[in-house]
């Protein structure tokens, strides 16, 4: 079965950086759209970034544009989220997700999910 495992979360001060990774197995990684979502306490899960199967197209939430970068390494079946200039409001559990076909930004349109990794940004 599909397995997505996130890593790289942690605690960081505002202005700092983190790099999240998501290792995928049980799917043909190079044919899947990969997305990052986040869910803060008491809030709904929201889109952060997504990347096409070959890395040629990426989309970002307005709140992270210019600070976060999504990338993928199909040889390693891994997608990354480089997060810079972190803000307190970036604090959340970050999830990676996979879907086939078209790049989408709505959580309901993703089929497979990881267990999440906590990112905590302190002021």
């Amino acid at each position: 079965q599909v397995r997505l495992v996130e890593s790289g979360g942690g605690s960081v001060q505002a202005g700092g950086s983190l790099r999240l990774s998501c290792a995928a197995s049980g799917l043909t990684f190079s044919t899947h759209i990969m997305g990052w979502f986040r869910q803060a306490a008491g809030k709904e899960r929201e889109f952060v970034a997504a990347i096409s199967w070959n890395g040629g197209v990426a989309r970002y939430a307005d709140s992270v544009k210019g600070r976060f970068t999504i990338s993928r390494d199909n040889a390693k079946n891994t997608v990354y989220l480089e997060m810079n200039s972190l803000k307190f409001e970036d604090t959340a559990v970050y999830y990676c997700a996979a879907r086939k076909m078209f790049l989408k930004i709505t959580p309901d349109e993703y089929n497979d999910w990881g267990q999440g990794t906590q990112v905590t940004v302190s002021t």
Side-chain angles (χ1 to χ4, degrees):
Q1 71 277 20
V2 176
R3 188 164 184 240
L4 304 176
V5 180
E6 302 94 337
S7 61
S11 297
V12 64
Q13 288 192 326
S17 299
L18 283 173
R19 188 194 196 202
L20 305 184
S21 300
C22 173
S25 60
L27 75 170
T28 306
F29 183 76
S30 61
T31 65
H32 278 68
I33 305 296
M34 298 300 297
W36 285 98
F37 295 80
R38 67 187 181 187
Q39 189 166 16
K43 296 187 177 181
E44 293 187 352
R45 193 169 296 190
E46 65 174 5
F47 170 73
V48 175
I51 190 166
S52 61
W53 63 272
N54 65 350
V57 177
R59 289 187 64 181
Y60 297 91
D62 288 344
S63 58
V64 306
K65 276 182 185 176
R67 300 189 297 121
F68 290 12
T69 302
I70 188 172
S71 61
R72 64 190 297 161
D73 185 339
N74 286 348
K76 295 183 178 179
N77 284 9
T78 301
V79 62
Y80 305 97
L81 186 68
E82 184 76 34
M83 306 186 295
N84 298 315
S85 301
L86 282 161
K87 303 177 181 180
F88 174 76
E89 50 265 40
D90 294 319
T91 296
V93 178
Y94 283 71
Y95 299 88
C96 74
R99 61 166 279 118
K100 294 183 180 179
M101 298 296 285
F102 305 108
L103 198 155
K104 301 290 185 181
I105 65 171
T106 306
D108 288 348
E109 295 182 285
Y110 282 75
N111 308 107
D112 300 292
W113 292 84
Q115 83 289 346
T117 186
Q118 176 71 46
V119 171
T120 302
V121 184
S122 58
T123 56

